Amino acid sequence: GGNDDAKMFQSNDTLTYIELNTELAGGVATANTNILGLFVVGVDAEADTDDTGSTIDVGGGCQCGKGKKAEKGCSTGNGTPIGLLLTLPLLIAARRRPQDGMAELVVSMGLRRGGRVGAPVVPALVAVETDTGQVVRTLWDDPDPRVTPRTGHDEFTGAALVGDILWQCTRTEVLRIDLRRWRVVWRFSHPLFFDLHSVDPRPDGGFAVTATGHESVLVFDSSGALQAHHWLRGDLSGFAEAYGGVSDFRVVDYNAFKPHSHHPNFSFYREGVLWATRLEGGKCVPIGADETPLVLGSSAHDGRLIEGQRWFTTVDGQVIAVDAADHRVVEAYDLRNAWPGSVPGWCRGVEVDERYVWVGYSILRRSRRAEWVRSVVTGGQTKCPTRLVGVDRATGEVAKEIEVGNAAGGTV
């Protein structure tokens, strides 16, 4: 793409990689950049290796209500969704191996290494075979201490795909991950990065991120220079005073300034206008434009554009697709009653293929004694594991469940 520092890597006789060591070159970013949350990647994975990850057999997946029916339809007669609670982005990239036709889902997560309850949560990218339910690769990432101070709790949050490059957020960094080579090839941080929840790369190499911790949407150019700071709470002149003159938000605990009044989690461009979801207020709002907000109910969070429809998930298990042009509800599923008597976890993110709607559920476990106390207080309710759930689009039933966490749970 015109980058003089590009290096060629030959993996086998049929597949060549290019690693861009400096800026994202022209021709690498495409117009298809509004892909956030979960998405399908049609790539040749034949040359993938496991030299940077691990293979884990997770067995048969969740057993806490497999096959429960998801109730379809959760909107009023005028097409307005009821009680829409949108969630943290879950990224799943479906990949297909040409030699056996087996699809993979790549999941952005936060995991405690070794399944130890007291261990810190760290970022992990996990590849899962949908047919076997096996985790076949895991990429662990440690924040770069030269640009990101240690916080003790970090995870992969929202992401976006450009070609074979995954733009991936942590709470304090934006990374580019080469999915073919399964490695981080670029990372960027900024003092305003504070509990990042999403990244939206632009065709010119720039990008926008949601800094949920201080309720802002930040826009950067391809060189990493800040172009715009949209503070959803008001005029930017009051920003410094509101946060006590903090000069580097990366060293601040991500819960420090809660509760939030807006809590933006997901931003995207629609016909040149920047939009952001608001957890508080239940809307997806245009920024700096006189357009009608998309009313989503309560706790609006993330969304994803798939073939002209923007799909949203809710923390309590609703999946809703609206027409990207007129915001009319066109498809909906309700998983809130799919696991009676259990704690299903937080539903986050969505992926759609011809047969299934895939969503992720997250749960973090405490110590064995604390979990026992919790079960007594809640009347014996059991926690479902961190998992991927496949809903059959024809029947509306939960057809597949694949565990992706460990003994300490995990977040997706």
Side-chain angles (χ1 to χ4, degrees), residues 60-80:
C62 175
Q63 301 298 322
C64 57
K66 187 175 182 179
K68 299 297 183 181
K69 184 172 180 60
E71 300 174 7
K72 297 183 69 172
C74 52
S75 62
T76 62
N78 62 6
T80 303

Side-chain angles (χ1 to χ4, degrees), residues 261-391:
S261 60
H262 290 67
H263 199 87
N265 291 278
F266 170 68
S267 63
F268 60 93
Y269 280 92
R270 175 176 175 267
E271 297 180 354
V273 176
L274 185 62
W275 290 67
T277 57
R278 287 177 47 183
L279 184 75
E280 305 297 338
K283 296 180 180 180
C284 187
V285 298
I287 297 177
D290 186 18
E291 296 192 29
T292 302
L294 172 59
V295 179
L296 300 170
S298 62
S299 301
H301 207 294
D302 67 298
R304 180 171 172 247
L305 184 64
I306 305 173
E307 296 182 353
Q309 298 177 357
R310 195 168 297 282
W311 288 75
F312 298 93
T313 59
T314 75
V315 292
D316 64 344
Q318 297 182 74
V319 186
I320 299 174
V322 301
D323 187 281
D326 59 17
H327 292 167
R328 173 178 48 89
V329 175
V330 294
E331 194 167 347
Y333 301 86
D334 191 342
L335 306 177
R336 289 175 293 181
N337 298 317
W339 299 274
S342 298
V343 180
W346 283 48
C347 178
R348 303 177 179 185
V350 60
E351 166 54 55
V352 180
D353 59 32
E354 292 183 359
R355 183 173 180 182
Y356 298 109
V357 173
W358 292 94
V359 294
Y361 276 85
S362 300
I363 200 149
L364 282 174
R365 294 188 175 96
R366 295 172 287 180
S367 68
R368 183 176 298 179
R369 176 172 294 183
E371 287 294 339
W372 178 82
V373 172
R374 184 201 57 78
S375 67
V376 171
V377 172
T378 59
Q381 285 188 331
T382 59
K383 283 184 177 181
C384 296
T386 296
R387 66 205 186 280
L388 309 179
V389 173
V391 180

Side-chain angles (χ1 to χ4, degrees), residues 2-23:
N3 190 327
D4 292 336
D5 294 324
K7 294 183 178 180
M8 304 301 295
F9 292 85
Q10 187 72 29
S11 65
N12 57 22
D13 291 337
T14 61
L15 189 60
T16 300
Y17 302 122
I18 300 176
E19 178 182 5
L20 300 176
N21 292 330
T22 56
E23 302 307 323

